[in-house]
Amino acid sequence: MNMEKDLRLSSILIRWYEANKRDLPWRNTSDPYAIWLSEVILQQTRVDQGYSYYNKFIQKYPKVDMLAMADEDEVLKLWQGLGYYSRARNLQAAARLIVKDYNGVFPRQHKDVLKLKGVGDYTAAAIVSISYNEPYAVVDGNVYRVLSRIFAINEPIDSGKGKKVFAELAQELLDDANAGLYNQAIMEFGALQCVPVSPRCDICPASSICLAYAQNKVAQYPKKAGKQKVRNRYFNYFDIRHGESMYLRKRGDKDIWQNLYELPLVETEKELTIEELQKDEKFKPLFEAASDVKIQYIRQIKHVLSHQIIYAIFYKVEVSEIRLEKEYLKIGVGDVDDYPVSRLVHKYLEQL
DNA sequence: AAAACGGGGCG
DNA sequence: CGCCCAGTTTT
């Protein structure tokens, strides 16, 4: 069976690339030496930082044998300020090997390119696809971000399994006939359009096929296992009672417990006593339009989530009169069980 | 699987 | 100023 490849993504990316790509010096050549040099310089390095280094290197060592013949000190000096200096040492070691073993002609085969010092999976794929249009998909940080969003992939990118999943998906999606163009397009798209923070999805040509966008979860991708740091949060809940009435509010987007209900909440940066809390700017608006406010401490609950620990304090507040913003829902005390609440809030409610 | 490797951007 | 970034080699 000859399954046809889905090239919709390729088409979107390449069209976007042709219209939006930056004009960079290494984009006006198919010389594998120049491509290699640019790719090594751009490892862990932003384009605007590496740009002048590429120009210096290609001017001083326009051919691989000139790099091979240079003093290491001279090469390192030219690399100075760019960081990760093993890249420069490996670069020259590889140049010397190319002169010795390949007669100064840059290797043509992916497996040979991959053997060069300082060239891993990403760089080998970049070199052979861009220089020779060989069908090897690049997977760099941009690709992780773009693919994880478009396909809403929950596999963490920093796990062994995740790397495999992304490498296979990238290879499957690769537009083989336009490998170099497609690879450059997806990376440039990640660098300029599908950026890590606050991407402009409203003007994105891929938004219609982007699953993360459809789910309003763009900012959650790519997922990382990481040493996920646990964040401490301090929730002060107020169970405001006015006769047989109490108040709830629906939680919004971009935080835990989306669309669940909870008691009126004041979140603080650290644990505060009720006296400190009453002086806090976030506390005041809640009881501005209230009379005869009596606050009673009820209990403290430590609630542990995978990524945050919530130190919650519950207070019961009796008022003879109160007016709250319309986001606060006034309900009958007996109806509270009709509303979906977090486990934390439920723990408080069930023991009243 | 995890650490080491540098410098820059960001809040 | 601490935290994040992200390919390759080394441990």
Side-chain angles (χ1 to χ4, degrees), chain A residues 21-228:
Chain A
K21 69 180 177 186
R22 291 166 288 187
D23 184 17
L24 300 169
W26 50 86
R27 292 208 168 130
N28 301 316
T29 179
S30 60
D31 175 6
Y33 167 69
I35 305 295
W36 169 54
L37 180 59
S38 72
E39 290 298 342
V40 172
I41 286 173
L42 293 177
Q43 290 168 3
Q44 326 315 105
T45 305
R46 288 172 171 76
V47 165
D48 40 354
Q49 193 196 353
Y51 191 95
S52 67
Y53 285 85
Y54 173 83
N55 286 334
K56 284 195 293 184
F57 268 82
I58 204 69
Q59 188 171 7
K60 194 149 187 174
Y61 314 118
K63 294 281 182 280
V64 67
D65 59 308
M66 302 177 77
L67 176 59
M69 286 187 302
D71 281 342
E72 185 181 85
D73 285 357
E74 188 184 81
V75 174
L76 285 170
K77 184 67 188 174
L78 214 55
W79 197 272
Q80 184 175 301
L82 199 51
Y84 284 111
Y85 295 92
S86 64
R87 288 185 292 171
R89 296 193 304 272
N90 289 336
L91 195 70
Q92 203 186 22
R96 287 174 171 168
L97 182 131
I98 290 168
V99 168
K100 185 161 80 67
D101 289 4
Y102 296 94
N103 205 19
V105 179
F106 203 92
R108 179 69 175 71
Q109 296 299 318
H110 176 265
K111 68 170 172 41
D112 295 325
V113 174
L114 192 52
K115 282 183 202 151
L116 298 173
K117 274 242 172 40
V119 175
D121 288 339
Y122 162 75
T123 308
I127 293 169
V128 302
S129 65
I130 298 171
S131 302
Y132 312 129
N133 209 32
E134 291 281 349
Y136 289 85
V138 294
V139 184
D140 74 342
N142 295 304
V143 174
Y144 281 127
R145 190 167 56 255
V146 172
L147 295 186
S148 68
R149 286 174 175 171
I150 291 180
F151 296 96
I153 297 170
N154 293 310
E155 205 63 53
I157 62 171
D158 56 356
S159 67
K161 187 178 172 204
K163 292 205 189 326
K164 193 164 168 241
V165 166
F166 279 90
E168 286 172 359
L169 176 60
Q171 191 61 40
E172 184 186 318
L173 291 165
L174 178 66
D175 182 349
D176 292 28
N178 306 292
L181 185 59
Y182 170 86
N183 276 339
Q184 292 183 86
I186 192 170
M187 291 192 286
E188 189 80 337
F189 183 77
L192 299 182
Q193 170 63 43
C194 195
V195 294
V197 177
S198 306
R200 289 289 306 276
C201 298
D202 56 329
I203 58 166
C204 177
S207 62
S208 64
I209 62 163
C210 180
L211 291 181
Y213 181 69
Q215 297 167 15
N216 198 20
K217 288 181 178 174
V218 170
Q220 296 175 33
Y221 294 99
K223 302 243 165 136
K224 288 173 198 164
K227 316 170 243 304
Q228 51 181 338

Side-chain angles (χ1 to χ4, degrees), chain A residues 208-339:
Chain A
S208 64
I209 62 163
C210 180
L211 291 181
Y213 181 69
Q215 297 167 15
N216 198 20
K217 288 181 178 174
V218 170
Q220 296 175 33
Y221 294 99
K223 302 243 165 136
K224 288 173 198 164
K227 316 170 243 304
Q228 51 181 338
K229 297 149 287 284
V230 178
R231 177 162 71 118
N232 291 328
R233 302 178 73 176
Y234 304 91
F235 284 9
N236 305 276
Y237 277 121
F238 296 94
D239 182 2
I240 302 172
R241 300 301 181 98
H242 176 226
E244 280 305 298
S245 296
M246 64 183 292
Y247 293 85
L248 294 180
R249 184 169 66 163
K250 195 173 187 172
R251 286 185 68 85
D253 294 343
K254 298 170 187 157
D255 203 349
I256 55 172
W257 303 330
Q258 277 179 31
N259 297 347
L260 298 188
Y261 291 80
E262 65 186 358
L263 301 169
L265 167 69
V266 175
E267 181 173 359
T268 50
E269 292 302 307
K270 45 182 191 155
E271 185 156 357
L272 298 182
T273 64
I274 187 61
E275 291 80 13
E276 292 168 324
L277 197 51
Q278 283 176 292
K279 295 177 203 146
D280 196 285
E281 287 309 313
K282 284 185 280 193
F283 175 88
K284 289 176 180 168
L286 206 50
F287 297 103
E288 230 160 27
S291 314
D292 308 319
V293 177
K294 292 202 243 335
I295 301 177
Q296 178 194 5
Y297 166 84
I298 301 295
R299 69 181 291 201
Q300 207 163 1
I301 299 177
K302 177 178 169 181
H303 191 70
V304 180
L305 303 173
S306 63
H307 52 303
Q308 37 190 286
I309 300 177
I310 294 161
Y311 297 90
I313 303 179
F314 288 86
Y315 299 96
K316 187 177 250 179
V317 186
E318 302 273 5
V319 296
S320 63
E321 190 187 352
I322 188 165
R323 283 195 43 220
L324 288 171
E325 300 289 325
K326 66 170 184 293
E327 57 191 290
Y328 292 95
L329 194 63
K330 184 177 186 176
I331 67 164
V333 171
D335 297 331
V336 68
D337 287 343
D338 296 345
Y339 294 86

